[in-house]
Amino acid sequence: MLQRKLTDIEGIKVGHEQDYKGATGCTVVLCEEGAIAGVDVEGGSPGTRETDLLSPLNRVDKAHGILLSGGSAFGLDAASGMMAYLESHEAGFDVGMTNVPIVPGAILFDLGIGDHEKRPDKKMGLQACENASGSDCKEGTIGAGTGATVGKVLGMDRAMKGGLGTYCLQAGELMVGAMVAVNCFGDVVNPETGQIIAGALSDSDHFINTEEFMIKQFENQKNKSQENTTIGVIASNAKLNKAEANKLAAMAHDGFARTMRPSHTMVDGDTIFTLATDKVECDLDLVGLLAAEVMGEAVIRAVKMATTLHGVTSYSDLHRTEKA
């Protein structure tokens, strides 16, 4: 298999905008020609937009962009900027007098870092679209990953920096790519070794292991951090129908389960969208296998590429301290 970029998939563009003082931002994945879309929500505290429309039972089957945003539910306002941008580019569902862009989206909770009064809004969503490129896939402390943190079982004081990651693979003509903003309650784990690479820290900057801590503290589970949720997109040039696109989103959640422990908790709103550009005939199981693989790798890259912000320790800082 060949490693590619998400934006190597024809018709896919990615853009980011962020406020580093506020420690928040948004990421847009655009497909102005429209792509078959699906979604799967596995977390217990989701904040979403237009997910009902993506059900195979409902009429419209194509989306023109996906919003990944910080700011908790306030951040859904950034979709208004996407709507304005796409309408001005005549992208959307044709209703006669205009085109109505279909823009599903999801948010993560990042109000506990930076300035909680700064949130992604229409202006930021529009700017992210203006910044969108078909050639660049930036990662780390950017876009929806700007205020992301991980490992919060002991609160923000012991958490580490999350971020935005992306990864894409090509098998034959088939390309499957992921983009994810990692803001999980649990630890991020290298699935090949089982070792925690980012998560809740002890006083001595060692990982406490969130799953083991929760088991030991089974009688005291009332004060879990609410500042969570990991959100992502799988994009592919596969030919899929709407039901298959929804199934693909579900299969991609295996990438979350392999790399975030625990994942899909009641204090996470873990959500994955899919966009399929309808170019390459393929087997859904193969696409799902690749989707889980690229999503897991994107999660790992998100924390490895993140940089310290507002004093929250990053992966690179932790390893620099260990080497020193």
Side-chain angles (χ1 to χ4, degrees):
M1 289 189 293
L2 299 175
Q3 185 177 339
R4 303 296 296 270
K5 294 186 298 185
L6 183 70
T7 49
D8 287 335
I9 299 172
E10 184 180 355
I12 297 294
K13 296 195 297 184
V14 173
H16 313 284
E17 183 62 8
Q18 53 282 319
D19 178 337
Y20 287 115
K21 182 179 179 180
T24 193
C26 66
T27 293
V28 300
V29 181
L30 301 179
C31 186
E32 294 176 28
E33 294 182 1
I36 303 297
V39 66
D40 189 66
V41 180
E42 292 294 337
S45 300
T48 57
R49 180 184 192 277
E50 295 277 40
T51 51
D52 282 353
L53 184 66
L54 301 185
S55 166
L57 298 175
N58 295 326
R59 180 185 177 195
V60 176
D61 61 357
K62 290 184 177 180
H64 305 91
I66 301 292
L67 170 69
L68 305 179
S69 181
S72 189
F74 299 106
L76 291 173
D77 187 35
S80 298
M82 293 180 68
M83 294 281 289
Y85 175 88
L86 288 164
E87 184 183 27
S88 71
H89 286 70
E90 299 182 348
F93 183 74
D94 186 358
V95 295
M97 65 290 298
T98 189
N99 292 321
V100 178
I102 305 302
V103 181
I107 52 84
L108 55 80
F109 192 109
D110 57 7
L111 303 182
I113 178 175
D115 183 350
H116 74 275
E117 294 185 349
K118 304 290 186 182
R119 301 118 181 202
D121 55 13
K122 180 178 180 179
K123 181 179 178 181
M124 185 179 283
L126 178 59
Q127 187 60 55
C129 292
E130 297 285 357
N131 295 342
S133 167
S135 60
D136 191 18
C137 280
K138 296 177 181 177
E139 298 175 279
T141 304
I142 192 169
T146 301
T149 51
V150 303
K152 286 161 279 192
V153 71
L154 295 178
M156 284 294 294
D157 290 343
R158 304 284 186 87
M160 283 183 63
K161 191 72 182 69
L164 189 87
T166 183
Y167 197 72
C168 183
L169 291 173
Q170 180 173 356
E173 295 182 350
L174 176 66
M175 286 192 283
V176 182
M179 179 157 283
V180 61
V182 180
N183 186 59
C184 55
F185 167 76
D187 303 322
V188 177
V189 177
N190 182 335
E192 294 182 1
T193 65
Q195 292 183 327
I196 298 170
I197 64 171
L201 297 168
S202 68
D203 288 333
S204 56
D205 282 348
H206 290 92
F207 298 119
I208 67 160
N209 191 315
T210 295
E211 289 186 323
E212 291 183 1
F213 180 85
M214 291 176 67
I215 292 169
K216 292 176 182 177
Q217 298 290 321
F218 71 94
E219 292 182 342
N220 181 26
Q221 301 289 326
K222 297 180 180 180
N223 297 314
K224 290 185 290 187
S225 168
Q226 307 296 310
E227 301 166 9
N228 313 299
T229 296
T230 298
I231 49 180
V233 179
I234 291 290
S236 175
N237 60 359
K239 287 187 175 183
L240 302 177
N241 60 37
K242 200 175 179 184
E244 290 170 329
N246 277 271
K247 180 61 176 177
L248 179 61
M251 297 168 85
H253 272 283
D254 287 352
F256 280 12
R258 293 170 187 171
T259 55
M260 295 183 293
R261 301 180 187 173
S263 58
H264 308 135
T265 73
M266 292 304 294
V267 292
D268 286 288
D270 297 343
T271 300
I272 296 177
F273 296 96
T274 54
L275 292 171
T277 61
D278 202 33
K279 303 292 185 184
V280 179
E281 293 282 357
C282 58
D283 174 63
L284 178 60
D285 288 332
L286 172 60
V287 187
L289 180 158
L290 292 176
E293 180 71 19
V294 297
M295 185 58 78
E297 187 63 32
V299 169
I300 298 297
R301 291 183 63 83
V303 295
K304 286 188 173 182
M305 298 297 288
T307 53
T308 295
L309 186 67
H310 292 281
V312 181
T313 302
S314 67
Y315 171 90
S316 58
D317 281 345
L318 185 65
H319 283 263
R320 189 180 301 115
T321 301
E322 289 174 349
K323 290 177 182 178

